[in-house]
Amino acid sequence: MTTQGIHGNLIEVTVVSCNKLKDTEWISRQDPYVCVEYGSTKSRTRTCTDGGKNPTFQEKFVYTLIEGLRELIVNVWNSNTIKHDSFIGSGKVQLEKALSQGFDDSLWPLQSKTGRHAGEVRLIIHYTKAHKPATSHGPASQPHGAPQASLYSQPPPYPSVSYPPPPSAAPYPPPGGYPPPSSYPSYPPNSSGYPPAPYPPQAAPYGQPYPPNSAYPPQPYGSQYPPGQPYPGPYPPPY
């Protein structure tokens, strides 16, 4: 990712803390502070009194970028009240990540004058005018020159994928498509001679004789009169 065109832009550098610094004091705890250099611009944090090997600063500095200069120089010192300050260590901080991505939170190693490890310094760097990589956003993440269809191919037509083409006939039979109710031979027609039985069946009228009155009471055996004719003699007839 190119970082050209940075000249004159501003970059923010926050000195957070130091870790496992070389101890330059024999008796008391050391009082570290940090100096940051960018080009001819120099900045200094406050002194962390009795900070020892792990001082905390949380101080922010703003620098004007210079084209072609993409590193900071960090020096850590121990403040002394009687003699000259003691050098603890120094290191170089690369700005390439912050310039390309806009943010960098890293630990940077420090070395003593003899080249030995002298601890670490933590810096948080912000650059608001960074050109973020296109890979961090959806459609713009495709490689340069790649056709758009290679990432987002158009789905095939609807009927040919999941469903067959719609039939020419309607999904339900049209009105009149069903046979008329009289075509179902579930029950014999009324013309069969049997009148439809009422439901529920009607009971016979109360008091209707069964069998008919002409047969009740029974005629004596051998009676010569047909049923239904009046009996000429006294009732009952003499035997």
Side-chain angles (χ1 to χ4, degrees):
M1 179 68 183
T2 180
T3 56
Q4 295 180 357
I6 65 172
H7 187 78
N9 296 334
L10 299 180
I11 191 168
E12 296 179 358
V13 179
T14 301
V15 181
V16 180
S17 60
C18 293
N19 299 325
K20 301 178 182 179
L21 293 178
K22 182 185 72 172
D23 196 351
T24 59
E25 293 286 348
W26 294 98
I27 301 176
S28 61
R29 294 170 61 88
Q30 61 185 0
D31 305 319
Y33 64 90
V34 178
C35 294
V36 182
E37 300 180 13
Y38 180 73
S40 59
T41 305
K42 297 181 180 180
S43 305
R44 179 188 185 280
T45 68
R46 61 177 176 80
T47 299
C48 184
T49 304
D50 292 334
K53 296 182 178 181
N54 301 290
T56 301
F57 303 100
Q58 295 289 347
E59 294 189 44
K60 181 174 68 175
F61 307 101
V62 179
Y63 303 97
T64 301
L65 291 171
I66 302 171
E67 190 66 49
L69 183 58
R70 293 178 170 83
E71 69 177 17
L72 302 172
I73 297 177
V74 179
N75 297 298
V76 182
W77 297 80
N78 175 37
S79 178
N80 294 313
T81 57
I82 300 177
K83 55 183 181 178
H84 294 292
D85 293 349
S86 303
F87 177 76
I88 297 177
S90 66
K92 292 183 177 181
V93 177
Q94 301 300 321
L95 301 177
E96 195 67 28
K97 180 179 178 181
L99 294 176
S100 61
Q101 301 182 15
F103 178 81
D104 186 13
D105 183 355
S106 302
L107 291 171
W108 301 92
L110 302 172
Q111 291 184 348
S112 65
K113 291 181 179 179
T114 60
R116 294 184 178 182
H117 182 69
E120 297 174 329
V121 58
R122 180 187 174 190
L123 302 180
I124 297 178
I125 306 174
H126 284 94
Y127 180 54
T128 58
K129 294 187 177 182
H131 297 286
K132 303 296 181 64
T135 53
S136 62
H137 302 284
S141 62
Q142 62 177 355
H144 178 71
Q148 183 72 14
S150 63
L151 294 180
Y152 302 97
S153 58
Q154 182 179 2
Y158 168 77
S160 62
V161 178
S162 301
Y163 303 94
S168 58
Y172 297 96
Y178 294 101
S182 60
S183 63
Y184 291 94
S186 300
Y187 300 95
N190 294 337
S191 60
S192 61
Y194 296 94
Y199 183 83
Q202 300 296 328
Y206 180 79
Q208 179 180 357
Y210 184 85
N213 294 336
S214 59
Y216 185 83
Q219 300 297 327
Y221 181 77
S223 174
Q224 57 182 352
Y225 299 100
Q229 298 297 328
Y231 195 78
Y235 185 83
Y239 289 98

